[in-house]
Amino acid sequence: MHTSQIDLVAFGPEHLEGAVALSRQAGWPHRPEDWQMALAVSRGIAAVADDHQVVGTALVTPYGAECATINMVIVDEVARGRGLGRRLMQAALDIGGKRQLRLVATTEGLPLYEKLGFRPVGTILQYQGKIPAIAAADGIENACEADFDAVTALDHAAFEADRRCLLEHLAKVAEFVVIRRAGRVQGFAALRAFGRGDVIGPVVAKNLNDARALISAFIGSRPGAFVRIDTIADTGLAPWLESLGLTHAGGGIAMRTGGTGAPARSPYKTYALANQAFG
């Protein structure tokens, strides 16, 4: 492939096929539908060679004026070593503007992100596999439309940014369950089709037992299904996932700009990400 000139352009529908090919080259499970969902809530950049082939991508998913995630940063193997990753990241930083920016880094990408002002704040652990037959936990209900504002508020408290736009999109394609106590939503989880099967997340709860109960509601209804869960190491969820027979299949380093910041004051915590792209 001739790549003497590579231009960065706004990501459009014409770049989708090339983007899917890049993610497959990278060993990622994203289907065209997964890319389409990411694009629906993000602004994208495509790196296009002079033969019109897509050789790089980056997406920025904004959450209001507070924060954004940078994700789907991929450079074609044949275009590496030419500074394209830095160019894509600079374009993403420009889109992010003054927002706090977050991403999940690979070990290989860590040095570049640190040079651009990102700092590690945690470890992401990806678990996946065919799920066993287990009993669904008591006290979990299917969410209804009237729960949406409460779900959004809990997510905002745990994530420390307003992700209403993302949750509105998830509400169209995902199943939601909630824990309700004294008539109030006290935790939630979502499940949607992704990659090789389903992904469970986000999962927001007050404590580990509630998080396990929310996840069990989905696992209990899908014995034998392939599921993925991206959790944060310090939540303590990983040993339970391993006890279910799920395999640790990778992960990354959670990073953000603006330093590590003060600990969250909310009693609610994110136990599983929507996925590594969305946080």
Side-chain angles (χ1 to χ4, degrees):
M1 180 180 65
H2 181 56
T3 57
S4 61
Q5 180 176 327
I6 298 174
D7 296 321
L8 301 189
V9 301
F11 201 123
E14 68 274 19
H15 303 122
L16 182 61
E17 183 178 351
V20 173
L22 279 184
S23 57
R24 288 174 178 165
Q25 182 193 84
W28 298 358
H30 296 67
R31 308 165 301 157
E33 298 92 329
D34 301 322
W35 271 97
Q36 288 168 338
M37 178 182 166
L39 287 169
V41 294
S42 308
R43 290 179 60 188
I45 309 129
V48 181
D50 48 14
D51 61 358
H52 306 295
Q53 185 165 340
V54 176
V55 294
T57 60
L59 300 184
V60 180
T61 308
Y63 300 132
E66 302 167 78
C67 131
T69 61
I70 297 177
N71 52 84
M72 307 306 289
V73 181
I74 313 174
V75 175
D76 193 310
E77 293 172 352
V78 302
R80 293 176 187 170
R82 301 172 56 180
L84 182 55
R86 177 179 279 273
R87 288 177 62 196
L88 285 164
M89 278 300 299
Q90 187 57 58
L93 293 173
D94 292 343
I95 292 173
K98 296 182 180 180
R99 297 176 180 90
Q100 181 194 71
L101 301 174
R102 307 183 191 184
L103 55 78
V104 177
T106 61
T107 302
E108 294 78 10
L110 188 63
L112 171 60
Y113 299 140
E114 288 181 326
K115 289 176 183 176
L116 293 172
F118 288 83
R119 295 292 177 265
V121 294
T123 301
I124 307 301
L125 304 174
Q126 176 186 326
Y127 283 87
Q128 63 184 38
K130 290 188 176 181
I131 49 183
I134 65 170
D138 294 330
I140 307 299
E141 305 174 17
N142 291 327
C144 62
E145 187 175 348
D147 295 325
F148 184 77
D149 286 344
V151 165
T152 302
L154 291 187
D155 186 77
H156 193 163
F159 192 79
E160 299 179 271
D162 184 0
R163 299 201 293 177
R164 177 174 288 270
C165 179
L166 173 64
L167 292 170
E168 286 176 343
H169 194 87
L170 286 177
K172 301 174 185 176
V173 299
E175 300 176 40
F176 280 78
V177 293
V178 298
I179 290 178
R180 199 186 315 275
R181 296 193 179 100
R184 299 183 62 184
V185 174
Q186 297 291 304
F188 76 89
L191 175 143
R192 71 183 191 279
F194 175 84
R196 296 171 58 189
D198 295 322
V199 62
I200 297 176
V203 177
V204 171
K206 265 189 175 180
N207 56 61
L208 181 58
N209 286 338
D210 283 357
R212 288 166 56 170
L214 287 160
I215 293 169
S216 295
F218 287 131
I219 291 179
S221 65
R222 287 168 174 77
F226 186 90
V227 71
R228 168 175 167 169
I229 300 173
D230 294 338
T231 188
I232 304 163
D234 65 8
T235 63
L237 187 64
W240 179 68
L241 297 176
E242 291 178 355
S243 76
L244 296 177
L246 297 183
T247 301
H248 179 211
I253 303 143
M255 306 187 79
R256 62 178 62 177
T257 56
T260 58
R265 292 184 291 271
S266 169
Y268 293 95
K269 182 184 293 187
T270 300
Y271 283 85
L273 311 183
N275 64 9
Q276 293 181 41
F278 300 135

Coordinates of all heavy atoms in Angstrom, one line a residue, residues 102 152-161 163 188 203-205 256 264 266-271:
R102 N -10.4 11.3 29.3 CA -10.1 10.0 29.8 C -9.9 9.0 28.7 O -10.5 9.1 27.6 CB -11.3 9.5 30.7 CG -11.7 10.5 31.8 CD -12.8 9.9 32.7 NE -13.4 11.0 33.5 CZ -14.3 10.7 34.5 NH1 -14.8 9.5 34.6 NH2 -14.8 11.7 35.2
T152 N -29.8 7.9 35.4 CA -28.8 8.9 34.9 C -28.1 9.6 36.1 O -26.9 9.9 36.0 CB -29.6 9.9 34.0 OG1 -30.2 9.3 32.9 CG2 -28.6 11.0 33.5
A153 N -28.9 9.9 37.1 CA -28.3 10.5 38.3 C -27.3 9.6 39.0 O -26.2 10.1 39.4 CB -29.5 10.9 39.3
L154 N -27.6 8.3 39.1 CA -26.6 7.4 39.7 C -25.4 7.3 38.9 O -24.2 7.3 39.5 CB -27.2 6.0 39.9 CG -28.4 5.9 40.9 CD1 -28.7 4.4 41.1 CD2 -28.0 6.4 42.3
D155 N -25.5 7.2 37.6 CA -24.4 7.2 36.7 C -23.5 8.4 36.8 O -22.3 8.4 36.9 CB -24.8 7.0 35.3 CG -23.6 6.7 34.3 OD1 -23.1 5.6 34.4 OD2 -23.3 7.7 33.6
H156 N -24.2 9.6 36.9 CA -23.5 10.9 37.0 C -22.7 10.9 38.3 O -21.5 11.3 38.4 CB -24.5 12.0 37.0 CG -23.8 13.4 36.8 ND1 -24.5 14.5 36.4 CD2 -22.5 13.8 37.0 CE1 -23.7 15.5 36.3 NE2 -22.5 15.1 36.7
A157 N -23.3 10.4 39.4 CA -22.6 10.4 40.7 C -21.4 9.5 40.7 O -20.3 9.8 41.2 CB -23.6 9.9 41.8
A158 N -21.5 8.3 40.0 CA -20.4 7.4 40.0 C -19.3 7.8 39.0 O -18.1 7.7 39.3 CB -20.9 6.0 39.7
F159 N -19.7 8.2 37.8 CA -18.8 8.5 36.8 C -18.2 10.0 36.9 O -17.2 10.3 36.3 CB -19.4 8.3 35.4 CG -18.5 8.3 34.2 CD1 -17.8 7.2 33.9 CD2 -18.3 9.5 33.4 CE1 -16.9 7.2 32.8 CE2 -17.5 9.5 32.4 CZ -16.7 8.3 32.1
E160 N -18.9 10.8 37.6 CA -18.5 12.2 37.8 C -18.6 13.0 36.5 O -17.8 13.9 36.3 CB -17.1 12.3 38.5 CG -17.0 11.7 39.8 CD -15.6 11.8 40.4 OE1 -14.8 10.9 40.1 OE2 -15.4 12.8 41.1
A161 N -19.5 12.7 35.7 CA -19.8 13.4 34.5 C -21.2 13.0 34.0 O -21.7 11.9 34.3 CB -18.8 13.2 33.4
R163 N -23.6 11.6 31.5 CA -23.6 10.7 30.4 C -25.0 10.5 29.8 O -25.2 9.4 29.3 CB -22.9 9.4 30.7 CG -21.4 9.6 31.1 CD -20.6 8.3 30.9 NE -21.1 7.3 31.8 CZ -20.6 6.0 31.8 NH1 -19.6 5.7 31.0 NH2 -21.0 5.1 32.7
F188 N -28.0 0.0 39.2 CA -28.5 -0.4 37.9 C -27.4 -1.1 37.1 O -26.2 -1.0 37.4 CB -29.0 0.7 37.1 CG -28.0 1.6 36.5 CD1 -27.5 1.4 35.2 CD2 -27.5 2.7 37.2 CE1 -26.5 2.2 34.6 CE2 -26.5 3.5 36.6 CZ -26.0 3.3 35.3
V203 N -22.3 -1.0 35.2 CA -22.9 -1.5 36.4 C -22.6 -0.5 37.5 O -21.4 -0.3 37.8 CB -22.4 -2.9 36.8 CG1 -23.0 -3.3 38.2 CG2 -22.7 -3.9 35.7
V204 N -23.6 0.2 38.1 CA -23.4 1.1 39.2 C -24.1 0.7 40.4 O -25.3 0.3 40.3 CB -23.8 2.5 38.7 CG1 -23.8 3.5 39.9 CG2 -23.0 3.1 37.6
A205 N -23.4 0.6 41.6 CA -24.0 0.2 42.8 C -23.3 0.8 44.0 O -22.3 1.4 43.9 CB -23.9 -1.4 42.9
R256 N -6.3 9.7 32.7 CA -7.1 10.9 32.5 C -6.2 12.2 32.6 O -5.1 12.1 33.2 CB -8.2 11.1 33.5 CG -7.8 11.1 35.0 CD -9.0 11.3 35.9 NE -10.0 10.2 35.8 CZ -11.1 10.1 36.6 NH1 -11.4 11.0 37.4 NH2 -11.9 9.0 36.5
A264 N -13.8 10.3 44.7 CA -15.2 10.6 44.6 C -15.9 10.6 45.9 O -15.7 9.8 46.8 CB -15.9 9.6 43.6
S266 N -19.3 10.5 46.2 CA -20.5 9.7 46.1 C -20.4 8.3 46.7 O -19.3 7.7 46.6 CB -20.9 9.6 44.7 OG -22.0 8.6 44.5
P267 N -21.4 7.8 47.3 CA -21.3 6.4 47.8 C -21.5 5.4 46.7 O -21.2 4.2 46.9 CB -22.5 6.3 48.8 CG -23.5 7.3 48.2 CD -22.7 8.4 47.7
Y268 N -21.8 5.8 45.5 CA -22.0 4.9 44.4 C -20.7 4.8 43.6 O -19.9 5.7 43.5 CB -23.1 5.4 43.4 CG -24.5 5.3 44.1 CD1 -25.0 6.5 44.8 CD2 -25.2 4.2 44.1 CE1 -26.2 6.4 45.4 CE2 -26.4 4.1 44.8 CZ -26.9 5.2 45.4 OH -28.1 5.1 46.1
K269 N -20.5 3.6 43.0 CA -19.3 3.3 42.3 C -19.6 2.5 41.0 O -20.6 1.8 41.0 CB -18.4 2.4 43.2 CG -17.0 2.0 42.6 CD -16.3 1.1 43.5 CE -15.8 1.7 44.8 NZ -14.9 0.8 45.6
T270 N -18.8 2.8 40.0 CA -18.9 2.0 38.8 C -18.1 0.7 38.9 O -16.9 0.7 39.1 CB -18.3 2.8 37.6 OG1 -19.1 4.0 37.4 CG2 -18.5 2.0 36.3
Y271 N -18.9 -0.4 38.9 CA -18.2 -1.8 39.0 C -17.9 -2.4 37.7 O -17.1 -3.3 37.6 CB -19.2 -2.7 39.9 CG -19.1 -2.4 41.3 CD1 -19.9 -1.4 41.9 CD2 -18.2 -3.1 42.2 CE1 -19.8 -1.1 43.2 CE2 -18.1 -2.8 43.5 CZ -18.9 -1.8 44.1 OH -18.9 -1.5 45.4

